[in-house]
Amino acid sequence: MTPVFDPFSGSPPRWYAIPAHRPFLDDLAAGVLAWLGDQPPETLSDATLLLPNRRAARAFTAALSRLGGDRPVLLPQVRPLGDLEEDEAPFAPGELGLDLPPAIAPLTRRFEMARMITDRFEPGLKPLRALEMADALGGFLDSCQLEEVEDPGRVAHLVEGDLAEHWQDSARFLGLAVEAWPERLAELGLVDPAWRRARLLRLLAERWTDSPPTGPVIAAGSTGTAPAAADVLRAVAAAPQGCVVLPGLDRDLDAAVWAALGAEEQHPQNALWRLLDRAEVPRESVRPWFQPPLDPARESRGLARQRLLNEALRPAEATDDWRREIARIRATAAATGQAADPIAEGLQGLSVVTVRTEEDAAATIALMMRETLETPGRTCALVTPDLGLGRRVAARLERWGVVADSSSGAPLLRLPAGGLIDLCARFLADPLKPQTLLALVKHPLCGIDADAATALELHALRGPRPRDWAMIRQRLLKAAQPRRGGKPAPDWKQVRLGEAAALADRLESLVGTARTPFVPEAPLDVAARALTGLVEALAGQAVWAGPDGEAAAPLMAALIAGGDALGEVRRADLADLVHGLLRDETVRTGGATHPSLRILGAIEARLVRADRMILAGLEEGVWPNAAPVDPFLSRPMRKTLGLPPPERRLGQTAQDFVQAACADEAVLVHADRRGGQPAVKSRWLWRLEMLTRGANAPATPVVLERPVLALSQARALDAPPPGPPRYARRPEPRPPVERRPRSLYVTRIERWVRDPYAVYAGWVLGLDKLERPGAEAEAMARGNAVHKAIERMTAAFPDTLPDDAEERLCDLLMAELKDHGFEDAAMAREAPLARNSARWLTSFEQDRRARGITLLIEQKGESGFDAPGGRFTLKAYADRIELGSAGAAVIDFKTGAAPSAKQVKTGFAPQLTLTAAILADGGFTDTNGPVDPEELTYVRVVGRRKPGEVAVRASGMEAADMARAALEGLQRRVARFDRESTPYVSWAAPQFMGNFGGNYDHLARVWEWHVIGDDAEDGE
């Protein structure tokens, strides 16, 4: 029986094309099945099908099985033309590649090339820079090998031209490198992968030209961008049973435009023009491939879409007659009896979604992909060259438990094994950085006890950064000690702190061993061995298991094997180098994915078609990407060598865009901003919109559909409930009286007056502030350091100051600042302040002690009184009490602004007055009974131009009266809060909260009710 379609009919050469609006692989499979007809199932097994890549090969096999239905068919030999192996068809085993050495591994190539550069051209070059130069050199060699440039060493002769000096230097380097690198490869018995691939294709083209294959051969989907690949296609087309099927050839493009495409590198048809020109085949000789019948309306829309896109992307010189061309298209459609406007028809199913940011784009795309699954059997594909956007969409899909098939894989840096190696490299560079240390001890591959890691975090790594491992142990030891007047830590906490100390000792030992070779630099291979040893000591051999471990192991092995000649590195350079290598290594983990959803790059999606195609990243610099910049060759130099211009790649990506945008339903997504900066629409989208705008008419306006529903729905998923915004109100918690505090320090009383909610959160809820890991030492840490230094000085010399008191006090200040977490940069700023402070404090001490006083330092006192809710105890730690003949002076040291006399008198700053009340009640043991307060003073120590200040807030009888008034005010406050109806409101005195912003303002949602919301009911 004669087959329905015979691709090998007629005399060769046989060139076919499948239009861009047709599903390429489905039509290709349908044509193969139509050719098979009623022939036996094994007929196809003798045929060879060449496709551009492995993904296309898999997709074709799936399409063939789907269209074949229940019919038994033995699959043809489907091979990727871009990744041929000599042991697979169309090659006989070992035949063509018998005399070709194996290809060098990519990582080995990078390191060997970097070694050659440092050995022969740039001695002493840092490894990271050497690898960068190796990548650039490798890119140049790949271009020359794929384009089969004869004698690339003649680049050295380009220095004789009128070139800038840096281009001449590049030419000299390349001229030497292209001779030295083959010599190195010959020593290794290897060749470059690009050369080997191009050579295999060239050998295949020569063989099939001289001895054409006798069996059926179909080459489909390739545009023959490499000369050898183009010649293979030419040989296939000329074979007795061979044919070539081109993707997306526009057979209706204006002949004048087609003739000018040789100079239009950025046009989507340029690659096909060059292929046909090389094969000496006129476009009119290309026949249409078998096309299964489609719905007439769908076929008409597809043709109109293809014509619309090709018109929009025509060369710039041919756009001056757009309006005339639009009129011609409409007139032709009317003359042929077509009722619909062809421009409007081409826009059916094509829509543009403009979003604000990349996150909006990810949310909208994920929702459209999820919506596709509501129709059984319907498929959707996201096509974008933006890997970050693809990862965002994949993360958004996971909210519905959907995992899309992604072609991009994941950087090794983002996977567990790669992340651990990166952390270990950073740990080597800076072992005491809290963020790195915490990430390391919590990494799942390390298997460190969670309780020990938590204890290390809470008690040693939060707050100012530790200076050394001894400080970490000191902090853990301090956490086990009882606080002032408190109880020692419970047994379970002591155990955890002991485990944390043991963990710190282990980490110190491991990193010390790994850092031994660095003095301060080490050869790269030695450094890599040290890093590998550290990784295995923390995670064991399990780190090399799984897809990520299997990718990490050869990378580290190559770093060890190829790093011996790359010079020495510092620890920080090693961390940067390893980070870059892990980031550049891609791992495809596989796993179960949804069969209806795919996330593809532009190249992977070239022949793939889904029911809904979403094209995203349509911003200049993303899709299309900017033309690559060659660091070694200028444009004239590339042209002289016979290398293609950088813009040629833009033409190839333009064809990918057209292929995907010709789908029945295509959604073009553009973001107004990228990375926080304004973004420019893709040139293709601009052209399409301009063409559409030019086709508008008042009677029948033609516009791009804009499905804003998906965008609004995506935003609604994370939006607050509909209606006017409902901001939080000022919190007014009313805990039971028995849960309210019955004992507070005077500093807490001051907080209670200004912000009762802070007392509620800290006392009733038991919430303590957690410092940020590695937080810089701030004003509170400086105040504590100054307090501690003064305390130590006074304790050491309670009666008479030594002659060198100023120097001693300065040393104490510097030591305490260092112990409180101030780093070297901050210490350089604090040193002059400490000297000024020490000079002023010494003078202050001498003046005060000349009065014949007795000093009491850091005294604890307490006093109680009855209240409706039970006895209330007031406590205080007095910085300093000076006992004299007329009474006592209560002194508090400040490094910030001291409360004003008005604030002290009105009760907003009751620290001194309540401390004086405890003193008058005999609450301080060392005073041997009640003592009348005679002076209330703040001593401000800053060390600046005015190094210090003595601020007396009350003296004589006024001090005693203010103490009594403060105590009476406290009693009234306690009585009021002993009523359950009294709330602990936030910011009771907002006019004084500027310097007292609470640690619990976020919990009270102050921003909502006090700044954004209507606070009129609550008052100011």
Side-chain angles (χ1 to χ4, degrees):
M1 177 179 178
T2 304
V4 177
F5 169 70
D6 185 2
F8 310 114
S9 63
S11 60
R14 303 178 190 89
W15 294 81
Y16 293 92
I18 296 177
H21 72 278
R22 302 278 307 190
F24 185 90
L25 294 178
D26 285 356
D27 278 11
L28 182 64
V32 170
L33 289 174
W35 166 63
L36 180 62
D38 293 335
Q39 300 180 63
E42 61 271 14
T43 303
L44 271 184
S45 63
D46 297 330
T48 298
L49 192 71
L50 300 179
L51 290 170
N53 50 54
R54 294 185 181 275
R55 176 171 286 272
R58 292 194 299 269
F60 169 79
T61 301
L64 194 66
S65 300
R66 183 178 68 255
L67 294 177
D70 297 332
R71 179 182 180 182
V73 174
L74 291 181
L75 295 176
Q77 301 180 60
V78 184
R79 297 290 181 256
L81 186 61
D83 191 18
L84 289 176
E85 295 293 341
E86 68 271 17
D87 58 348
E88 296 180 337
F91 297 111
E95 203 172 333
L96 290 180
L98 185 63
D99 298 327
L100 298 183
I104 188 171
L107 277 174
T108 306
R109 183 185 191 228
R110 290 187 71 189
F111 288 117
E112 286 292 340
M113 196 171 285
R115 175 194 295 185
M116 179 195 71
I117 291 173
T118 55
D119 282 351
R120 305 186 60 169
F121 304 110
E122 296 285 344
L125 192 66
K126 292 295 183 182
L128 191 59
R129 177 60 181 153
L131 285 172
E132 291 174 354
M133 291 189 66
D135 291 339
L137 176 60
F140 166 74
L141 291 175
D142 287 346
S143 298
C144 292
Q145 291 160 2
L146 290 175
E147 295 295 329
E148 298 179 285
V149 173
E150 296 183 1
D151 187 21
R154 59 193 171 93
V155 68
H157 301 300
L158 297 178
V159 298
E160 300 171 0
D162 185 15
L163 296 175
E165 184 176 351
H166 67 280
W167 291 126
Q168 295 185 24
D169 292 340
S170 296
R172 291 190 188 96
F173 168 73
L174 290 177
L176 297 174
V178 295
E179 295 179 1
W181 178 240
E183 294 174 2
R184 179 56 183 159
L185 285 176
E187 294 174 5
L188 298 172
L190 301 171
V191 293
D192 279 324
W195 181 89
R196 193 173 195 280
R197 187 180 307 117
R199 186 59 184 160
L200 283 173
L201 289 172
R202 175 56 57 196
L203 291 173
L204 181 62
E206 292 174 353
R207 162 169 291 191
W208 280 356
T209 300
D210 296 338
S211 302
T214 57
V217 180
I218 302 175
S222 178
T223 56
T225 53
D231 289 345
V232 169
L233 297 181
R234 183 177 184 177
V236 169
Q241 280 192 290
C243 66
V244 176
V245 186
L246 300 177
L249 176 66
D250 187 1
R251 301 171 66 246
D252 298 324
L253 186 64
D254 184 82
V257 175
W258 174 263
L261 287 184
E264 294 293 336
E265 298 286 354
Q266 301 184 43
H267 194 277
Q269 295 287 307
N270 175 266
L272 296 172
W273 181 92
R274 285 186 290 104
L275 175 61
L276 294 177
D277 181 69
R278 185 181 181 91
E280 300 178 347
V281 174
R283 182 179 53 154
E284 295 74 19
S285 300
V286 180
R287 293 177 282 174
W289 180 259
F290 176 80
Q291 296 182 6
L294 288 179
D295 176 65
R298 180 182 174 189
E299 179 73 23
S300 178
R301 285 197 306 269
L303 286 171
R305 174 79 57 78
Q306 178 179 329
R307 186 183 303 113
L308 175 69
L309 290 171
N310 285 326
E311 283 297 330
L313 272 64
R314 62 163 47 199
E317 293 79 4
T319 58
D320 57 341
D321 60 347
W322 250 351
R323 291 184 182 275
R324 187 164 56 253
E325 185 65 22
I326 291 170
R328 185 189 66 79
I329 292 174
R330 285 174 168 166
T332 303
T336 56
Q338 181 177 342
D341 180 355
I343 304 297
E345 187 178 23
L347 292 175
Q348 293 181 19
L350 179 67
S351 53
V352 173
V353 176
T354 300
V355 297
R356 178 67 175 165
T357 64
E358 299 154 283
E359 192 59 35
D360 279 346
T364 304
I365 293 168
L367 184 63
M368 288 190 289
M369 296 181 75
R370 176 62 182 85
E371 179 190 16
T372 306
L373 301 182
E374 296 300 310
T375 304
R378 187 170 169 80
T379 60
C380 180
L382 166 64
V383 182
T384 178
D386 186 354
L387 299 181
L389 178 61
R391 285 194 291 267
R392 287 177 184 235
V393 172
R396 285 277 184 168
L397 286 172
E398 289 181 3
R399 78 192 307 176
W400 298 294
V402 176
V403 180
D405 177 18
S406 177
S407 66
S408 63
L412 180 56
L413 183 65
R414 292 178 173 267
L415 299 176
L420 178 61
I421 295 172
D422 181 56
L423 283 172
C424 287
R426 287 191 279 148
F427 182 52
L428 266 179
D430 191 357
L432 291 172
K433 186 175 182 179
Q435 291 83 356
T436 302
L437 196 51
L438 280 176
L440 192 63
V441 299
K442 293 185 177 183
H443 196 282
L445 290 178
C446 289
I448 293 175
D449 181 71
D451 290 338
T454 301
L456 183 68
E457 173 189 356
L458 292 178
H459 303 292
L461 299 179
R462 286 192 173 267
R465 170 179 171 151
R467 285 182 166 269
D468 49 36
W469 294 98
M471 181 175 285
I472 290 180
R473 285 187 289 269
Q474 180 182 352
R475 289 180 179 181
L476 294 173
L477 182 63
K478 182 179 179 181
Q481 302 300 319
R483 294 185 178 181
R484 293 191 299 186
K487 297 179 181 179
D491 293 341
W492 63 267
K493 188 174 182 180
Q494 296 277 2
V495 172
R496 289 187 181 178
L497 291 170
E499 293 172 348
L503 174 59
D505 291 341
R506 179 189 173 209
L507 292 172
E508 180 185 14
S509 174
L510 290 176
V511 76
T513 301
R515 287 163 66 102
T516 300
F518 297 91
V519 284
E521 297 182 342
L524 182 56
D525 59 326
V526 175
R529 286 191 183 92
L531 175 59
T532 304
L534 177 61
V535 171
E536 293 182 346
L538 285 169
Q541 295 297 318
V543 70
W544 313 120
D548 54 339
E550 292 174 0
L555 188 148
M556 296 305 298
L559 195 60
I560 293 172
D564 58 340
L566 291 183
E568 296 188 335
V569 292
R570 295 179 179 270
R571 296 187 297 270
D573 295 336
L574 176 66
D576 292 340
L577 173 62
V578 170
H579 183 86
L581 293 173
L582 294 171
R583 181 193 57 220
D584 296 339
E585 187 73 13
T586 299
V587 180
R588 289 172 174 81
T589 56
T593 58
H594 202 288
S596 298
L597 301 182
R598 283 174 286 191
I599 301 175
L600 305 172
I603 296 177
E604 291 82 2
R606 181 170 294 172
L607 303 180
V608 176
R609 184 62 57 88
D611 296 321
R612 171 182 280 178
M613 300 288 287
I614 303 174
L615 284 65
L618 289 171
E619 296 89 39
E620 283 296 310
V622 181
W623 200 10
N625 200 350
V629 177
D630 192 326
F632 287 136
L633 299 177
S634 64
R635 291 175 182 270
M637 294 168 71
R638 292 181 63 89
K639 185 176 182 180
T640 302
L641 282 177
L643 293 175
E647 289 79 11
R648 180 167 295 179
R649 186 178 301 176
L650 301 183
Q652 297 166 4
T653 60
Q655 185 185 15
D656 298 336
F657 169 76
V658 172
Q659 286 285 122
C662 280
D664 290 340
E665 182 183 0
V667 182
L668 313 181
V669 181
H670 156 68
D672 286 332
R673 302 181 70 83
R674 290 188 64 86
Q677 302 296 324
V680 178
K681 286 182 180 179
S682 168
R683 64 192 70 178
W684 305 323
L685 191 54
W686 270 116
R687 281 171 161 264
L688 186 59
E689 290 187 345
M690 290 299 295
L691 176 63
T692 304
R693 197 175 302 169
N696 280 337
T700 57
V702 178
V703 295
L704 283 169
E705 295 181 43
R706 299 179 184 274
V708 295
L709 183 61
L711 176 59
S712 60
Q713 288 176 337
R715 289 175 175 170
L717 288 176
D718 300 316
R726 293 177 292 178
Y727 299 112
R729 297 181 59 82
R730 183 192 295 228
E732 298 179 347
R734 294 175 173 84
V737 174
E738 60 272 14
R739 295 292 307 276
R740 303 190 180 198
R742 307 313 307 167
S743 173
L744 288 175
Y745 283 92
V746 293
T747 50
R748 289 286 185 93
I749 300 296
E750 188 165 349
R751 171 64 63 187
W752 192 8
V753 171
R754 300 172 185 271
D755 188 12
Y757 186 84
V759 174
Y760 164 77
W763 182 277
V764 178
L765 300 183
L767 301 178
D768 292 329
K769 177 187 176 183
L770 280 179
E771 297 285 347
R772 289 179 291 110
E776 293 184 2
E778 298 176 353
M780 183 175 291
R782 187 175 188 276
N784 293 336
V786 171
H787 277 76
K788 189 65 177 178
I790 296 173
E791 177 187 351
R792 291 176 60 185
M793 186 70 177
T794 308
F797 305 101
D799 299 323
T800 305
L801 292 176
D803 294 337
D804 60 345
E806 182 179 328
E807 290 77 9
R808 289 174 180 260
L809 185 54
C810 182
D811 292 343
L812 288 173
L813 285 169
M814 294 296 290
E816 288 298 330
L817 288 169
K818 187 175 181 179
D819 289 345
H820 279 76
F822 282 81
E823 298 183 2
D824 293 340
M827 292 297 292
R829 180 196 66 223
E830 293 291 335
L833 300 180
R835 286 193 296 271
N836 292 343
S837 298
R839 185 181 306 113
W840 186 87
L841 281 170
T842 301
S843 176
F844 168 79
E845 284 287 344
Q846 290 170 345
D847 291 344
R848 302 296 293 191
R849 296 187 186 200
R851 303 180 182 185
I853 57 175
T854 301
L855 297 179
L856 301 179
I857 305 299
E858 292 294 328
Q859 290 289 302
K860 181 184 178 182
E862 63 179 48
S863 175
F865 56 85
D866 293 330
R871 189 163 181 81
F872 186 90
T873 303
L874 176 65
K875 300 178 182 179
Y877 272 101
D879 285 354
R880 181 168 180 157
I881 298 176
E882 297 179 353
L883 299 178
S885 57
V890 180
I891 297 177
D892 186 66
F893 290 94
K894 295 286 186 184
T895 54
S900 66
K902 183 178 181 181
Q903 290 175 346
V904 174
K905 188 173 183 179
T906 55
F908 282 108
Q911 181 180 355
L912 286 181
T913 53
L914 289 178
T915 302
I918 297 174
L919 179 67
D921 193 47
F924 289 97
T925 305
D926 291 348
T927 59
N928 298 320
V931 179
D932 293 331
E934 192 269 336
E935 180 184 338
L936 305 179
T937 299
Y938 288 108
V939 177
R940 186 165 179 256
V941 183
V942 291
R944 301 186 183 276
R945 178 173 299 180
K946 187 177 181 181
E949 177 186 10
V950 177
V952 179
R953 295 298 180 237
S955 59
M957 292 299 297
E958 184 184 16
D961 292 343
M962 289 174 63
R964 284 193 297 273
L967 182 60
E968 291 170 0
L970 175 62
Q971 290 171 345
R972 291 193 297 272
R973 171 173 291 274
V974 172
R976 185 167 71 254
F977 276 85
D978 278 348
R979 297 194 297 268
E980 194 165 327
S981 60
T982 304
Y984 285 82
V985 298
S986 175
W987 280 32
Q991 65 270 35
F992 296 115
M993 290 302 294
N995 296 327
F996 288 87
N999 296 325
Y1000 308 98
D1001 288 350
H1002 60 291
L1003 187 63
R1005 298 168 75 172
V1006 171
W1007 181 263
E1008 288 188 49
W1009 61 263
H1010 187 65
V1011 180
I1012 301 178
D1014 183 8
D1015 192 36
E1017 296 183 6
D1018 296 321
E1020 289 296 328

